[in-house]
Amino acid sequence: MVEFRGHPFYSCRNCGNPLALRKSLISKHFWAKSGQAYMFSHVTNIIVGQMEDKQLISGLFTIGGIYCSKCGEELGWKYLHAYEDRQKYKEGKFVMEISKIAKEYQ
């Protein structure tokens, strides 16, 4: 379990479930269904849904939707496979919509 106490972190906006430490934030330059999204290296307290191939802005990927493990809110997706070599760095990373998460300080 990730230790969140004393560190800035992101939580589910719907139920407050802690999801990712601020230090896991890789990029603020992503887009999702509801608008801007952030990419994280590590996320916890989620469920990864079924794999699907999806054509995104930057190419074709196999992704799995990610959901809050407490309330079931859809948060974004996990990159499982990138079909283009220049996009391989995204594999294993998580994208969460900023409209679905809140930044917390404790």
PDB file of all heavy atoms in Angstrom, residues 5 9 11 13 16 18 22 35-38 43 57 65-66 69 71 84 86-87 89-91 99-101 103-105:
ATOM      1  N   ARG A   5       0.016   9.716   3.661  1.00  0.00           N
ATOM      2  CA  ARG A   5       0.106  10.718   4.724  1.00  0.00           C
ATOM      3  C   ARG A   5       1.359  11.573   4.590  1.00  0.00           C
ATOM      4  O   ARG A   5       2.465  11.056   4.434  1.00  0.00           O
ATOM      5  CB  ARG A   5       0.121  10.028   6.080  1.00  0.00           C
ATOM      6  CG  ARG A   5      -1.092  10.296   6.890  1.00  0.00           C
ATOM      7  CD  ARG A   5      -0.953   9.714   8.272  1.00  0.00           C
ATOM      8  NE  ARG A   5      -0.146   8.509   8.279  1.00  0.00           N
ATOM      9  CZ  ARG A   5      -0.538   7.330   8.727  1.00  0.00           C
ATOM     10  NH1 ARG A   5      -1.717   7.202   9.248  1.00  0.00           N
ATOM     11  NH2 ARG A   5       0.247   6.295   8.690  1.00  0.00           N
ATOM     12  N   PHE A   9      -1.327  14.262  -2.833  1.00  0.00           N
ATOM     13  CA  PHE A   9      -1.793  13.142  -3.648  1.00  0.00           C
ATOM     14  C   PHE A   9      -3.090  13.508  -4.354  1.00  0.00           C
ATOM     15  O   PHE A   9      -3.706  14.529  -4.074  1.00  0.00           O
ATOM     16  CB  PHE A   9      -1.984  11.885  -2.780  1.00  0.00           C
ATOM     17  CG  PHE A   9      -3.057  11.988  -1.740  1.00  0.00           C
ATOM     18  CD1 PHE A   9      -4.354  11.559  -2.012  1.00  0.00           C
ATOM     19  CD2 PHE A   9      -2.780  12.487  -0.475  1.00  0.00           C
ATOM     20  CE1 PHE A   9      -5.341  11.639  -1.043  1.00  0.00           C
ATOM     21  CE2 PHE A   9      -3.760  12.563   0.496  1.00  0.00           C
ATOM     22  CZ  PHE A   9      -5.049  12.142   0.217  1.00  0.00           C
ATOM     23  N   SER A  11      -6.944  12.120  -5.432  1.00  0.00           N
ATOM     24  CA  SER A  11      -7.981  11.201  -4.982  1.00  0.00           C
ATOM     25  C   SER A  11      -9.164  11.243  -5.946  1.00  0.00           C
ATOM     26  O   SER A  11      -9.281  12.148  -6.774  1.00  0.00           O
ATOM     27  CB  SER A  11      -8.438  11.576  -3.577  1.00  0.00           C
ATOM     28  OG  SER A  11      -9.033  12.854  -3.591  1.00  0.00           O
ATOM     29  N   ARG A  13     -12.575  12.213  -7.068  1.00  0.00           N
ATOM     30  CA  ARG A  13     -13.412  13.374  -6.747  1.00  0.00           C
ATOM     31  C   ARG A  13     -14.785  12.932  -6.225  1.00  0.00           C
ATOM     32  O   ARG A  13     -15.407  13.616  -5.431  1.00  0.00           O
ATOM     33  CB  ARG A  13     -13.587  14.262  -7.984  1.00  0.00           C
ATOM     34  CG  ARG A  13     -14.260  15.587  -7.696  1.00  0.00           C
ATOM     35  CD  ARG A  13     -14.354  16.483  -8.914  1.00  0.00           C
ATOM     36  NE  ARG A  13     -13.084  16.861  -9.484  1.00  0.00           N
ATOM     37  CZ  ARG A  13     -12.357  17.912  -9.123  1.00  0.00           C
ATOM     38  NH1 ARG A  13     -12.784  18.702  -8.168  1.00  0.00           N
ATOM     39  NH2 ARG A  13     -11.213  18.177  -9.716  1.00  0.00           N
ATOM     40  N   GLY A  16     -13.351  10.332  -2.634  1.00  0.00           N
ATOM     41  CA  GLY A  16     -12.176  10.658  -1.836  1.00  0.00           C
ATOM     42  C   GLY A  16     -11.148   9.546  -1.709  1.00  0.00           C
ATOM     43  O   GLY A  16     -10.161   9.689  -0.981  1.00  0.00           O
ATOM     44  N   PRO A  18      -7.924   7.613  -2.126  1.00  0.00           N
ATOM     45  CA  PRO A  18      -6.609   8.041  -2.613  1.00  0.00           C
ATOM     46  C   PRO A  18      -6.156   7.197  -3.804  1.00  0.00           C
ATOM     47  O   PRO A  18      -6.310   5.973  -3.794  1.00  0.00           O
ATOM     48  CB  PRO A  18      -5.686   7.842  -1.406  1.00  0.00           C
ATOM     49  CG  PRO A  18      -6.406   6.960  -0.472  1.00  0.00           C
ATOM     50  CD  PRO A  18      -7.868   7.050  -0.778  1.00  0.00           C
ATOM     51  N   ARG A  22       1.546  12.764  -5.800  1.00  0.00           N
ATOM     52  CA  ARG A  22       1.932  13.849  -6.716  1.00  0.00           C
ATOM     53  C   ARG A  22       3.228  13.508  -7.443  1.00  0.00           C
ATOM     54  O   ARG A  22       3.394  13.803  -8.619  1.00  0.00           O
ATOM     55  CB  ARG A  22       2.068  15.158  -5.923  1.00  0.00           C
ATOM     56  CG  ARG A  22       2.770  16.306  -6.642  1.00  0.00           C
ATOM     57  CD  ARG A  22       2.039  16.725  -7.903  1.00  0.00           C
ATOM     58  NE  ARG A  22       2.697  17.796  -8.596  1.00  0.00           N
ATOM     59  CZ  ARG A  22       3.667  17.644  -9.516  1.00  0.00           C
ATOM     60  NH1 ARG A  22       4.126  16.458  -9.811  1.00  0.00           N
ATOM     61  NH2 ARG A  22       4.177  18.697 -10.125  1.00  0.00           N
ATOM     62  N   GLY A  35     -12.113  16.258 -21.292  1.00  0.00           N
ATOM     63  CA  GLY A  35     -11.169  17.362 -21.414  1.00  0.00           C
ATOM     64  C   GLY A  35      -9.773  16.966 -20.982  1.00  0.00           C
ATOM     65  O   GLY A  35      -9.331  15.852 -21.233  1.00  0.00           O
ATOM     66  N   GLN A  36      -9.106  17.870 -20.280  1.00  0.00           N
ATOM     67  CA  GLN A  36      -7.714  17.658 -19.892  1.00  0.00           C
ATOM     68  C   GLN A  36      -7.572  16.457 -18.960  1.00  0.00           C
ATOM     69  O   GLN A  36      -8.435  16.165 -18.146  1.00  0.00           O
ATOM     70  CB  GLN A  36      -7.157  18.899 -19.214  1.00  0.00           C
ATOM     71  CG  GLN A  36      -5.655  18.839 -19.034  1.00  0.00           C
ATOM     72  CD  GLN A  36      -5.087  20.119 -18.438  1.00  0.00           C
ATOM     73  OE1 GLN A  36      -5.817  21.049 -18.115  1.00  0.00           O
ATOM     74  NE2 GLN A  36      -3.788  20.162 -18.298  1.00  0.00           N
ATOM     75  N   ALA A  37      -6.409  15.778 -19.104  1.00  0.00           N
ATOM     76  CA  ALA A  37      -6.109  14.606 -18.283  1.00  0.00           C
ATOM     77  C   ALA A  37      -4.628  14.608 -17.929  1.00  0.00           C
ATOM     78  O   ALA A  37      -3.828  15.276 -18.583  1.00  0.00           O
ATOM     79  CB  ALA A  37      -6.477  13.331 -19.040  1.00  0.00           C
ATOM     80  N   TYR A  38      -4.280  13.864 -16.891  1.00  0.00           N
ATOM     81  CA  TYR A  38      -2.892  13.749 -16.434  1.00  0.00           C
ATOM     82  C   TYR A  38      -2.419  12.311 -16.585  1.00  0.00           C
ATOM     83  O   TYR A  38      -3.193  11.375 -16.385  1.00  0.00           O
ATOM     84  CB  TYR A  38      -2.772  14.118 -14.956  1.00  0.00           C
ATOM     85  CG  TYR A  38      -3.023  15.553 -14.594  1.00  0.00           C
ATOM     86  CD1 TYR A  38      -3.176  15.912 -13.260  1.00  0.00           C
ATOM     87  CD2 TYR A  38      -3.113  16.572 -15.541  1.00  0.00           C
ATOM     88  CE1 TYR A  38      -3.398  17.225 -12.876  1.00  0.00           C
ATOM     89  CE2 TYR A  38      -3.341  17.879 -15.170  1.00  0.00           C
ATOM     90  CZ  TYR A  38      -3.480  18.201 -13.842  1.00  0.00           C
ATOM     91  OH  TYR A  38      -3.700  19.512 -13.472  1.00  0.00           O
ATOM     92  N   VAL A  43      -0.529   4.211 -10.021  1.00  0.00           N
ATOM     93  CA  VAL A  43      -1.844   4.525  -9.484  1.00  0.00           C
ATOM     94  C   VAL A  43      -2.262   3.337  -8.617  1.00  0.00           C
ATOM     95  O   VAL A  43      -1.936   2.192  -8.927  1.00  0.00           O
ATOM     96  CB  VAL A  43      -2.874   4.769 -10.614  1.00  0.00           C
ATOM     97  CG1 VAL A  43      -4.269   4.980 -10.069  1.00  0.00           C
ATOM     98  CG2 VAL A  43      -2.471   5.963 -11.469  1.00  0.00           C
ATOM     99  N   ILE A  57      -5.564   9.920 -30.163  1.00  0.00           N
ATOM    100  CA  ILE A  57      -4.949  11.018 -30.916  1.00  0.00           C
ATOM    101  C   ILE A  57      -3.527  10.673 -31.356  1.00  0.00           C
ATOM    102  O   ILE A  57      -3.127  10.961 -32.471  1.00  0.00           O
ATOM    103  CB  ILE A  57      -4.952  12.318 -30.081  1.00  0.00           C
ATOM    104  CG1 ILE A  57      -6.385  12.799 -29.865  1.00  0.00           C
ATOM    105  CG2 ILE A  57      -4.122  13.410 -30.745  1.00  0.00           C
ATOM    106  CD1 ILE A  57      -6.521  13.918 -28.850  1.00  0.00           C
ATOM    107  N   GLY A  65      -9.817   0.394 -19.358  1.00  0.00           N
ATOM    108  CA  GLY A  65     -10.412   1.466 -18.570  1.00  0.00           C
ATOM    109  C   GLY A  65     -10.039   1.294 -17.106  1.00  0.00           C
ATOM    110  O   GLY A  65      -9.879   0.158 -16.637  1.00  0.00           O
ATOM    111  N   ILE A  66      -9.853   2.406 -16.381  1.00  0.00           N
ATOM    112  CA  ILE A  66      -9.562   2.303 -14.948  1.00  0.00           C
ATOM    113  C   ILE A  66     -10.717   2.919 -14.161  1.00  0.00           C
ATOM    114  O   ILE A  66     -11.277   3.949 -14.543  1.00  0.00           O
ATOM    115  CB  ILE A  66      -8.197   2.908 -14.562  1.00  0.00           C
ATOM    116  CG1 ILE A  66      -8.079   4.379 -14.933  1.00  0.00           C
ATOM    117  CG2 ILE A  66      -7.062   2.092 -15.165  1.00  0.00           C
ATOM    118  CD1 ILE A  66      -6.809   5.057 -14.414  1.00  0.00           C
ATOM    119  N   SER A  69     -11.683   1.807  -7.084  1.00  0.00           N
ATOM    120  CA  SER A  69     -12.022   0.544  -6.421  1.00  0.00           C
ATOM    121  C   SER A  69     -13.065   0.720  -5.319  1.00  0.00           C
ATOM    122  O   SER A  69     -13.664  -0.255  -4.875  1.00  0.00           O
ATOM    123  CB  SER A  69     -10.761  -0.098  -5.835  1.00  0.00           C
ATOM    124  OG  SER A  69     -10.207   0.716  -4.820  1.00  0.00           O
ATOM    125  N   CYS A  71     -15.788   3.381  -5.348  1.00  0.00           N
ATOM    126  CA  CYS A  71     -17.120   3.786  -5.824  1.00  0.00           C
ATOM    127  C   CYS A  71     -17.419   3.366  -7.268  1.00  0.00           C
ATOM    128  O   CYS A  71     -18.543   3.523  -7.730  1.00  0.00           O
ATOM    129  CB  CYS A  71     -17.300   5.297  -5.679  1.00  0.00           C
ATOM    130  SG  CYS A  71     -16.326   6.284  -6.834  1.00  0.00           S
ATOM    131  N   GLU A  84       2.946   1.573 -32.021  1.00  0.00           N
ATOM    132  CA  GLU A  84       4.024   2.333 -32.651  1.00  0.00           C
ATOM    133  C   GLU A  84       5.210   2.428 -31.696  1.00  0.00           C
ATOM    134  O   GLU A  84       5.034   2.711 -30.506  1.00  0.00           O
ATOM    135  CB  GLU A  84       3.536   3.740 -33.019  1.00  0.00           C
ATOM    136  CG  GLU A  84       2.413   3.738 -34.047  1.00  0.00           C
ATOM    137  CD  GLU A  84       1.889   5.138 -34.314  1.00  0.00           C
ATOM    138  OE1 GLU A  84       2.643   6.120 -34.129  1.00  0.00           O
ATOM    139  OE2 GLU A  84       0.716   5.242 -34.710  1.00  0.00           O
ATOM    140  N   ARG A  86       7.457   4.667 -31.256  1.00  0.00           N
ATOM    141  CA  ARG A  86       7.665   5.968 -30.606  1.00  0.00           C
ATOM    142  C   ARG A  86       6.675   6.223 -29.470  1.00  0.00           C
ATOM    143  O   ARG A  86       6.835   7.167 -28.701  1.00  0.00           O
ATOM    144  CB  ARG A  86       7.643   7.101 -31.620  1.00  0.00           C
ATOM    145  CG  ARG A  86       6.341   7.275 -32.340  1.00  0.00           C
ATOM    146  CD  ARG A  86       6.455   8.339 -33.443  1.00  0.00           C
ATOM    147  NE  ARG A  86       5.231   8.445 -34.179  1.00  0.00           N
ATOM    148  CZ  ARG A  86       4.221   9.233 -33.857  1.00  0.00           C
ATOM    149  NH1 ARG A  86       4.303  10.007 -32.807  1.00  0.00           N
ATOM    150  NH2 ARG A  86       3.132   9.265 -34.582  1.00  0.00           N
ATOM    151  N   GLN A  87       5.669   5.375 -29.318  1.00  0.00           N
ATOM    152  CA  GLN A  87       4.675   5.513 -28.244  1.00  0.00           C
ATOM    153  C   GLN A  87       4.857   4.475 -27.131  1.00  0.00           C
ATOM    154  O   GLN A  87       4.109   4.475 -26.156  1.00  0.00           O
ATOM    155  CB  GLN A  87       3.266   5.398 -28.821  1.00  0.00           C
ATOM    156  CG  GLN A  87       2.915   6.463 -29.833  1.00  0.00           C
ATOM    157  CD  GLN A  87       2.879   7.849 -29.232  1.00  0.00           C
ATOM    158  OE1 GLN A  87       2.532   8.040 -28.070  1.00  0.00           O
ATOM    159  NE2 GLN A  87       3.268   8.848 -30.011  1.00  0.00           N
ATOM    160  N   TYR A  89       6.794   4.288 -24.673  1.00  0.00           N
ATOM    161  CA  TYR A  89       7.032   4.836 -23.334  1.00  0.00           C
ATOM    162  C   TYR A  89       5.741   4.937 -22.517  1.00  0.00           C
ATOM    163  O   TYR A  89       5.778   5.017 -21.291  1.00  0.00           O
ATOM    164  CB  TYR A  89       7.712   6.203 -23.411  1.00  0.00           C
ATOM    165  CG  TYR A  89       6.803   7.341 -23.825  1.00  0.00           C
ATOM    166  CD1 TYR A  89       6.186   8.136 -22.871  1.00  0.00           C
ATOM    167  CD2 TYR A  89       6.543   7.602 -25.166  1.00  0.00           C
ATOM    168  CE1 TYR A  89       5.341   9.177 -23.233  1.00  0.00           C
ATOM    169  CE2 TYR A  89       5.698   8.639 -25.539  1.00  0.00           C
ATOM    170  CZ  TYR A  89       5.102   9.419 -24.579  1.00  0.00           C
ATOM    171  OH  TYR A  89       4.267  10.434 -24.944  1.00  0.00           O
ATOM    172  N   LYS A  90       4.582   4.906 -23.172  1.00  0.00           N
ATOM    173  CA  LYS A  90       3.296   5.015 -22.483  1.00  0.00           C
ATOM    174  C   LYS A  90       2.836   3.687 -21.880  1.00  0.00           C
ATOM    175  O   LYS A  90       1.969   3.677 -21.003  1.00  0.00           O
ATOM    176  CB  LYS A  90       2.220   5.523 -23.446  1.00  0.00           C
ATOM    177  CG  LYS A  90       2.460   6.946 -23.912  1.00  0.00           C
ATOM    178  CD  LYS A  90       1.395   7.378 -24.891  1.00  0.00           C
ATOM    179  CE  LYS A  90       1.645   8.793 -25.376  1.00  0.00           C
ATOM    180  NZ  LYS A  90       0.692   9.189 -26.420  1.00  0.00           N
ATOM    181  N   GLU A  91       3.404   2.585 -22.327  1.00  0.00           N
ATOM    182  CA  GLU A  91       2.971   1.278 -21.836  1.00  0.00           C
ATOM    183  C   GLU A  91       3.121   1.187 -20.316  1.00  0.00           C
ATOM    184  O   GLU A  91       4.147   1.566 -19.756  1.00  0.00           O
ATOM    185  CB  GLU A  91       3.762   0.165 -22.517  1.00  0.00           C
ATOM    186  CG  GLU A  91       3.415   0.015 -23.972  1.00  0.00           C
ATOM    187  CD  GLU A  91       4.156  -1.084 -24.692  1.00  0.00           C
ATOM    188  OE1 GLU A  91       5.163  -1.609 -24.156  1.00  0.00           O
ATOM    189  OE2 GLU A  91       3.739  -1.413 -25.822  1.00  0.00           O
ATOM    190  N   SER A  99     -11.200  16.067 -14.365  1.00  0.00           N
ATOM    191  CA  SER A  99     -12.548  16.296 -13.840  1.00  0.00           C
ATOM    192  C   SER A  99     -12.981  15.186 -12.882  1.00  0.00           C
ATOM    193  O   SER A  99     -13.956  15.338 -12.157  1.00  0.00           O
ATOM    194  CB  SER A  99     -13.557  16.403 -14.983  1.00  0.00           C
ATOM    195  OG  SER A  99     -13.685  15.162 -15.656  1.00  0.00           O
ATOM    196  N   LYS A 100     -12.242  14.088 -12.836  1.00  0.00           N
ATOM    197  CA  LYS A 100     -12.589  12.946 -11.996  1.00  0.00           C
ATOM    198  C   LYS A 100     -11.711  12.828 -10.753  1.00  0.00           C
ATOM    199  O   LYS A 100     -11.945  11.983  -9.895  1.00  0.00           O
ATOM    200  CB  LYS A 100     -12.455  11.644 -12.801  1.00  0.00           C
ATOM    201  CG  LYS A 100     -13.232  11.594 -14.095  1.00  0.00           C
ATOM    202  CD  LYS A 100     -14.720  11.528 -13.827  1.00  0.00           C
ATOM    203  CE  LYS A 100     -15.530  11.479 -15.102  1.00  0.00           C
ATOM    204  NZ  LYS A 100     -15.809  10.161 -15.602  1.00  0.00           N
ATOM    205  N   ILE A 101     -10.666  13.672 -10.655  1.00  0.00           N
ATOM    206  CA  ILE A 101      -9.739  13.574  -9.527  1.00  0.00           C
ATOM    207  C   ILE A 101      -9.601  14.918  -8.815  1.00  0.00           C
ATOM    208  O   ILE A 101      -9.904  15.961  -9.373  1.00  0.00           O
ATOM    209  CB  ILE A 101      -8.354  13.054  -9.970  1.00  0.00           C
ATOM    210  CG1 ILE A 101      -7.720  13.972 -11.024  1.00  0.00           C
ATOM    211  CG2 ILE A 101      -8.454  11.627 -10.477  1.00  0.00           C
ATOM    212  CD1 ILE A 101      -6.301  13.581 -11.447  1.00  0.00           C
ATOM    213  N   LYS A 103      -6.838  17.126  -6.071  1.00  0.00           N
ATOM    214  CA  LYS A 103      -5.538  17.158  -5.425  1.00  0.00           C
ATOM    215  C   LYS A 103      -5.740  17.397  -3.932  1.00  0.00           C
ATOM    216  O   LYS A 103      -6.504  18.267  -3.539  1.00  0.00           O
ATOM    217  CB  LYS A 103      -4.653  18.247  -6.015  1.00  0.00           C
ATOM    218  CG  LYS A 103      -3.222  18.157  -5.549  1.00  0.00           C
ATOM    219  CD  LYS A 103      -2.315  19.064  -6.358  1.00  0.00           C
ATOM    220  CE  LYS A 103      -0.863  18.809  -5.980  1.00  0.00           C
ATOM    221  NZ  LYS A 103       0.047  19.649  -6.733  1.00  0.00           N
ATOM    222  N   GLU A 104      -5.069  16.590  -3.125  1.00  0.00           N
ATOM    223  CA  GLU A 104      -5.216  16.635  -1.670  1.00  0.00           C
ATOM    224  C   GLU A 104      -3.870  16.946  -1.010  1.00  0.00           C
ATOM    225  O   GLU A 104      -2.827  16.558  -1.527  1.00  0.00           O
ATOM    226  CB  GLU A 104      -5.695  15.282  -1.141  1.00  0.00           C
ATOM    227  CG  GLU A 104      -6.931  14.737  -1.811  1.00  0.00           C
ATOM    228  CD  GLU A 104      -8.206  15.194  -1.175  1.00  0.00           C
ATOM    229  OE1 GLU A 104      -8.153  15.778  -0.082  1.00  0.00           O
ATOM    230  OE2 GLU A 104      -9.274  14.966  -1.777  1.00  0.00           O
ATOM    231  N   TYR A 105      -3.924  17.615   0.113  1.00  0.00           N
ATOM    232  CA  TYR A 105      -2.726  17.904   0.927  1.00  0.00           C
ATOM    233  C   TYR A 105      -3.024  17.455   2.347  1.00  0.00           C
ATOM    234  O   TYR A 105      -4.063  17.802   2.894  1.00  0.00           O
ATOM    235  CB  TYR A 105      -2.401  19.385   0.926  1.00  0.00           C
ATOM    236  CG  TYR A 105      -2.108  19.927  -0.445  1.00  0.00           C
ATOM    237  CD1 TYR A 105      -3.120  20.482  -1.216  1.00  0.00           C
ATOM    238  CD2 TYR A 105      -0.814  19.898  -0.953  1.00  0.00           C
ATOM    239  CE1 TYR A 105      -2.855  20.993  -2.476  1.00  0.00           C
ATOM    240  CE2 TYR A 105      -0.544  20.407  -2.211  1.00  0.00           C
ATOM    241  CZ  TYR A 105      -1.569  20.939  -2.961  1.00  0.00           C
ATOM    242  OH  TYR A 105      -1.306  21.444  -4.217  1.00  0.00           O
TER     243      TYR A 105
END
